[in-house]
Each structure stands twice: as structure tokens, then as C-alpha cells.
Amino acid sequence: MAAMASFHARYVSGDPDDVWRDLRGLGLRVFDAPYREDAEAVAREFADRARRNVETLVERLQARGFRAEENDDEGTPCSAHVPPSPGAPALADWLEVTFAPFPMTISAWIRQVGDVWLVGELPGWPASVLADPLVVQFEWAERGGSRSYYEAEHAAYLRDTARRDAGIPFQLDYAPDELHKANISGDAPYGIDLPGPGIDGKVGPAIWFVDDLNTAFAAGGFPGALWDEGYQEPPAGLRESLAAGLLRL
């Protein structure tokens, strides 16, 4: 009987959804032999694809005159993509130790992709900030780094016995919610529940990190739906042109 193809071989051959299903099904066993090395190769390939998608998307947006801006009253200019800094591996190492078992996909993102911020001014679609633009910021390299923030948040969580007794997990924040992205008072930030359930991270109880990213990339980085009377749909074909050819993670 022929040996079964590795998860990584299946992933690169065009079977990503089934690979994620099978790897997630392993749960915490994914960190053990004989799965770990193969799973880590899938996570690295995932991050490489995500990096290429981000770079393509930012290039296309900037060609349309997009300017990334902070979600403040002044619209302070900022970077749409900040590649991992020299300190990114150390941050990922610390997170893996502190919050073990730490999702491989999040570690790979920090090491290979960097910070993404698609909030800003997009000519022809002023309501783009209302469309839940893609934001993934774990390192905060342009803000002096995130470790001290995560340390403080985790210390506060450990002191909150009621929260822990209720089974509420610690959340590793990585993005404002869709309202705060538009500088509107909203809910808690998007974050990854820790410790993780296996190879991939959970955004809340039901959404996988990779699935959430695939939804965002399929919408050209702006997956938000019509939710407010002030929202305007994008120009016809905009999302499709931004998403064209982006890789399935």
C-alpha cells in the first residue's frame, strides 16, 4: 500500500481546506511526533501565502490611491503593512512558552507576515472603513512592540479569578472590532483564545483564524456586510479586482 501523502504535500498540491480539517481534528496531538514537523511545514507555507496575499493587496490598494490611516480623529497616516522586525522571532518564542500550547499559525504569522492595517482612505469608496478592513497586528513593531501590553493583559487576567472560574479564556488581541476600526465606539477587540486548541487559533468560540483570513482575502480585504445606513457598497467590481488571484490559505 502506498504511503499517505504528508499534510504539507497535500497542502501545496491544492487541498488546503481538507488539510486544515484533518490537522484541526488532531487537536493537541499535532504538537507531538509524528505530526509536529509536518504541521509546522504547513503553518510556514500558510504564512508564506498570507504574506504574498498581503503584499499583492497593499500594492493594488496603493495603486488606487489608498492611504492607511490610524482610526483616530486626525486620520494620522500609518503603514498598511509592516514586515516582521528583527524582534519578531523572540516575540513568537515568548508567546509559545507563555501560552503553550500556542497555535502554529499565529506563530508563523508573527515570524513571516508582520502587521497589516487596511484602515484608511480609499478614493472612490469613502465607506471602506465601515467594511471591517483587514487588520492583523500581533507585533506592533511601529508602536514599540506588543510584549509589554500582552504581559499586562495576561497579569490582569490571572488576577481576575471570576473570569477564570467562569472558563473565559485569555484573549490575545490583534485588531480593533469593526466599529472601532471606523473610529466608532464598539465592542472588545478581535483576539485569539489561549491556550490554543491545536495548529490553528480560534477567534472567539466558533471562528478559525485561517478561515477568517480566507474570508477577508476573498473580499479583497474588506469583508464587512451592510450593517448601517451610512454604509455604501463598494464600486462595482472593486472587491473582485482586489481579490483576483489571491491564494487560498
Side-chain angles (χ1 to χ4, degrees), residues 80-167:
H81 177 219
V82 182
S85 78
L91 174 64
D93 289 344
W94 174 76
L95 289 168
E96 288 175 0
V97 171
T98 304
F99 300 103
F102 191 73
M104 296 178 184
T105 53
I106 309 304
S107 181
W109 181 285
I110 293 168
R111 296 173 190 274
Q112 297 173 235
V113 184
D115 292 338
V116 182
W117 180 270
L118 299 189
V119 176
E121 181 72 24
L122 180 56
W125 190 23
S128 68
V129 294
L130 297 172
D132 201 12
L134 177 63
V135 172
V136 181
Q137 293 185 314
F138 288 109
E139 191 184 1
W140 301 359
E142 287 195 329
R143 302 182 186 182
S146 60
R147 178 166 169 172
S148 61
Y149 170 78
Y150 288 145
E151 286 176 332
E153 287 294 296
H154 189 228
Y157 173 79
L158 293 177
R159 292 192 299 268
D160 191 345
T161 55
R163 185 179 176 192
R164 290 188 288 111
D165 290 345

Side-chain angles (χ1 to χ4, degrees), residues 5-27:
S6 70
F7 290 116
H8 180 258
R10 290 170 54 201
Y11 188 82
V12 298
S13 69
D15 191 19
D17 293 339
D18 287 345
V19 169
W20 289 121
R21 180 201 63 209
D22 294 344
L23 284 171
R24 290 165 182 161
L26 291 172

Side-chain angles (χ1 to χ4, degrees), residues 11 20 39-55 57-58 80-85 87-93 95-96 102-118 133-141 146 150 172-175 192 199-201 203 208-217 221 246-249:
Y11 188 82
W20 289 121
E40 287 177 337
V42 172
R44 289 192 298 270
E45 180 68 25
F46 144 79
D48 181 66
R49 292 185 182 193
R51 171 75 175 258
R52 284 184 278 169
N53 280 358
V54 167
E55 291 174 342
L57 196 49
V58 170
H81 177 219
V82 182
S85 78
L91 174 64
D93 289 344
L95 289 168
E96 288 175 0
F102 191 73
M104 296 178 184
T105 53
I106 309 304
S107 181
W109 181 285
I110 293 168
R111 296 173 190 274
Q112 297 173 235
V113 184
D115 292 338
V116 182
W117 180 270
L118 299 189
L134 177 63
V135 172
V136 181
Q137 293 185 314
F138 288 109
E139 191 184 1
W140 301 359
S146 60
Y150 288 145
L172 192 76
D173 300 339
Y174 68 84
I192 303 297
I199 185 171
D200 197 12
V203 185
W208 293 102
F209 181 61
V210 172
D211 292 347
D212 200 40
L213 290 171
N214 276 324
T215 297
F217 285 129
L246 295 184
L247 301 169
R248 182 91 178 157
L249 305 180

